[in-house]
Amino acid sequence: MSYVKVATCNLNQWAMDFEGNLERIKASIAEAKAADCTFRTGPELEITGYGCEDSFLEPDTFAHAWESLGQILASDLTDGILCDIGMPVLHRNVSYNCRVILLDRKVLGVRPKICLANDGNYREMRFFTPWYINPALAGLGEMQEYYLPRVIREITGQVKVPIGIFAIAAADTALGFESCEELFTPLAPHIALSLDGVEIIANGSGSHHQLRKLQTRIDLVRGATDKAGGVYLYANQKGCDGGRLYFDGCAMVWVNGALVAQGSQFDGLDEVEVVVATVSLSDVRAKRANFSSRSFQVRGLPEMGGGSLTGGGRRGEAGARLDAGLGDRA
């Protein structure tokens, strides 16, 4: 049996509170490591806070976000644990809402958001541009090169990393990423990722409270993992962040349509709530292998990304196993 221990979280982040937000992120990573997790995901735009509004139009916001990320990379926090961090990124003078993937004090890649929330209380397209994917072509769009800012180059020794829609290949599994609104769309990225063999999908979200909206999120994640099989981690902001919205947490971990761990929605005043679960990759593989219709669909699809990210493929190499000694447990 193959097991992986993973962590998601609810964080009470505040708009433009770079120092406080960073401390809460660091606390969540430290708690995940203390629980022997090998993967941690966090909320959408967790470094800056979600509700920065027109501050997302200021270059300083992006610069300070990288400075905060640099403090994480300069420490031992990412040693032995894959971290998925939410922050804004400026690429070719275009603003993107991104996930930045870290491991062992290095940046593995930048994953921009494809579908932006722009209805109801959301106005993401005022601040960000969706990552472009040509709908006439199969797959998840091209990979590009992102040149890291000097503050990161001086810490990691890296000059550039891939930016685009990709998965991370560990020695024993593959991980992919969604961001908030993408889960709600008819052609959600988790469909293509799951069919390509990605077994763990993380969603960093900034979802505010609305009557019965939590049930919608639960139904969507349950449906995604029940139909396609797989592990799905959902992270969210919690509480107010200085704006007019209240974020209702409920970080979750699902496996094959079953809820295995969930955080609180309104309870408690804690600003950092880490949700840990030990998940079985063997159960994911068994469900998928025994679903003949899925197997027929996969057989007819081209691989989304042979090769490494640096070689122009769509898989970043994490190298180490994620099971951290749990792999042979009966």
Side-chain angles (χ1 to χ4, degrees):
M1 300 291 285
S2 181
Y3 291 89
V4 173
K5 204 166 189 181
V6 295
T8 182
C9 59
N10 298 324
L11 298 183
N12 187 185
Q13 305 297 71
W14 290 85
M16 302 298 286
D17 178 17
F18 290 98
E19 183 176 348
N21 292 346
L22 175 61
E23 290 307 310
R24 285 181 284 273
I25 293 168
K26 290 166 70 174
S28 70
I29 298 172
E31 188 171 337
K33 288 186 71 173
D36 295 324
C37 295
T38 52
F39 176 59
R40 175 268 184 200
T41 189
E44 185 175 15
L45 297 169
E46 58 187 312
I47 283 187
T48 57
Y50 182 86
C52 297
E53 300 188 352
D54 280 7
S55 291
F56 284 129
L57 304 178
E58 298 291 337
D60 281 357
T61 303
F62 295 82
H64 293 323
W66 281 111
E67 289 167 358
S68 293
L69 194 78
Q71 292 188 49
I72 296 173
L73 288 165
S75 72
D76 63 357
L77 280 171
T78 62
D79 291 354
I81 183 169
L82 187 67
C83 293
D84 168 27
I85 310 287
M87 61 177 280
V89 171
L90 196 65
H91 173 57
R92 296 167 61 184
N93 298 330
V94 179
S95 303
Y96 294 104
N97 179 344
C98 293
R99 313 298 302 177
V100 181
I101 315 305
L102 314 178
L103 176 66
D104 293 336
R105 311 188 196 199
K106 299 288 185 181
V107 179
L108 298 186
V110 179
R111 196 283 196 194
K113 192 172 181 179
I114 305 169
C115 303
L116 300 181
N118 211 56
D119 52 13
N121 285 310
Y122 292 105
R123 292 293 180 271
E124 290 184 9
M125 291 189 71
R126 176 178 173 87
F127 320 117
F128 302 109
T129 298
W131 184 255
Y132 179 70
I133 296 177
N134 189 340
L137 301 177
L140 291 172
E142 65 175 331
M143 298 297 298
Q144 298 180 10
E145 292 179 335
Y146 177 76
Y147 285 83
L148 293 166
R150 184 170 62 182
V151 65
I152 303 300
R153 294 199 304 265
E154 291 175 349
I155 295 169
T156 68
Q158 299 169 279
V159 175
K160 57 187 179 181
V161 296
I163 182 171
I165 311 306
F166 58 86
I168 296 295
D172 53 346
T173 188
L175 304 91
F177 311 93
E178 283 191 324
S179 189
C180 199
E181 177 75 4
E182 293 169 357
L183 171 64
F184 292 77
T185 60
L187 192 58
H190 68 254
I191 298 171
L193 292 169
S194 297
L195 290 174
D196 197 50
V198 172
E199 296 175 330
I200 301 173
I201 295 174
N203 184 322
S205 188
S207 188
H208 63 79
H209 173 66
Q210 184 177 321
L211 197 60
R212 291 180 290 276
K213 187 180 181 185
L214 173 59
Q215 188 60 51
T216 300
R217 299 199 301 257
I218 288 173
D219 290 343
L220 287 168
V221 180
R222 178 194 291 119
T225 59
D226 188 37
K227 181 169 66 174
V231 177
Y232 200 104
L233 283 74
Y234 179 89
N236 198 12
Q237 306 240 23
K238 181 180 179 181
C240 295
D241 73 346
R244 55 202 170 93
L245 302 179
Y246 183 91
F247 299 92
D248 62 349
C250 280
M252 302 179 287
V253 182
W254 289 74
V255 181
N256 293 348
L259 178 66
V260 297
Q262 181 174 341
S264 65
Q265 184 178 22
F266 301 117
D267 293 343
L269 298 175
D270 50 321
E271 294 191 317
V272 178
E273 182 181 7
V274 177
V275 177
V276 173
T278 300
V279 297
S280 171
L281 299 180
S282 298
D283 287 350
V284 173
R285 294 161 189 164
K287 178 179 177 65
R288 290 179 174 179
N290 285 282
F291 187 2
S292 59
S293 295
R294 177 193 179 277
S295 298
F296 274 107
Q297 288 188 334
V298 172
R299 188 183 65 175
L301 291 175
E303 277 190 284
M304 286 196 329
S308 67
L309 288 181
T310 53
R314 203 171 291 278
R315 292 281 175 99
E317 301 294 334
R321 297 176 63 91
L322 294 190
D323 61 20
L326 299 175
D328 297 326
R329 197 171 71 181

